Amino acid sequence: MRILLTGAAGFIGSHLREMAIEQGHEVIGLDNFSTGSNPRNIESYPEYPVVRGDIRNRDLVHNLLAGVSKYGKFQGVIHAAAESHVDRSITNPLGFVDTNVMGTANLLEQSYLNDIERFHYISTDEVYGSATYDQELPFDEDSPLLPNSPYAASKASGDTLCRAFFKTYELPVIVTRCTNNFGPRQDIEKLIPK
């Protein structure tokens, strides 16, 4: 499968990129190389390019997903790009809404219009809010979305946009909500590297 992977030079995206390539997929990345992205994260598999661009750029995303770029037609999208630092979302909430909501809406719309076979949205457990210790299992798929920060609200908005495109247009969407990711290549602003 030829996959467009957004956020390919970020922490999660770079690991997904390697895993998908090792599983035999052709992966073309898309990254704006802003905070959290690092060119060193994509040094493996140099034969698989990463396009420098923004998920909010309608023309760019259209050209990629419509198959008119030199990369040909994509069958899948893995959307891992996001503004993801909770503390920075408190000082710049509109920037997070712009990227995480409008960028996701752009990708979903272009995926629908260009018959993408599978759209995988990388979300976060932050959409559930704070866990309480008296819960047997803090969250499951039926838990309500109760975001506590602009970052979490922007990701919850992406979750609900994915649901809307699935219900309205039957776009094949998968949402995964990662929790407490850490490891090599994680941005130094995050808890464990700090």
Side-chain angles (χ1 to χ4, degrees):
M1 179 179 275
R2 183 175 295 130
I3 298 169
L4 178 68
L5 170 62
T6 70
F11 167 55
I12 293 173
S14 65
H15 288 282
L16 287 171
R17 177 178 175 266
E18 289 175 355
M19 183 181 71
I21 291 169
E22 289 165 5
Q23 290 178 354
H25 299 287
E26 182 181 352
V27 180
I28 307 300
L30 175 61
D31 203 297
N32 69 0
F33 291 93
S34 65
T35 305
S37 297
N38 188 330
R40 289 186 309 239
N41 290 351
I42 55 171
E43 289 175 346
S44 63
Y45 303 106
E47 66 274 22
Y48 292 95
V50 175
V51 176
R52 182 179 292 269
D54 196 299
I55 60 173
R56 297 168 294 181
N57 183 327
R58 291 186 74 170
D59 291 336
L60 172 64
V61 172
H62 169 76
N63 288 338
L64 286 167
L65 295 183
V68 298
S69 73
K70 66 181 180 181
Y71 305 109
K73 180 80 173 105
F74 290 90
Q75 289 80 42
V77 171
I78 300 175
H79 177 29
E83 294 288 341
S84 67
H85 299 276
V86 173
D87 292 345
R88 283 192 300 103
S89 80
I90 295 167
T91 59
N92 181 22
L94 293 183
F96 277 65
V97 169
D98 189 29
T99 298
N100 296 352
V101 179
M102 297 306 295
T104 299
N106 185 38
L107 286 162
L108 285 164
E109 180 180 53
Q110 290 303 320
S111 293
Y112 163 68
L113 293 174
N114 291 290
D115 299 316
I116 293 300
E117 297 171 21
R118 175 158 297 170
F119 187 98
H120 186 151
Y121 178 65
I122 307 299
S123 188
T124 175
D125 68 325
E126 293 274 344
V127 301
Y128 296 123
S130 300
T132 59
Y133 291 102
D134 60 344
Q135 294 171 309
E136 188 174 319
L137 292 172
F139 309 117
D140 64 27
E141 291 177 348
D142 295 321
S143 296
L145 303 184
L146 300 169
N148 289 330
S149 69
Y151 163 67
S154 70
K155 293 299 285 184
S157 296
D159 286 23
T160 57
L161 281 168
C162 285
R163 184 178 192 283
F165 272 77
F166 172 74
K167 290 290 191 180
T168 304
Y169 305 109
E170 298 180 352
L171 180 68
V173 175
I174 296 170
V175 174
T176 54
R177 295 181 177 137
C178 308
T179 182
N180 297 325
N181 298 307
F182 68 93
R185 302 194 295 261
Q186 191 170 24
D187 192 276
I188 59 170
E189 286 188 16
K190 300 296 186 176
L191 177 66
I192 300 232
K194 197 182 251 186

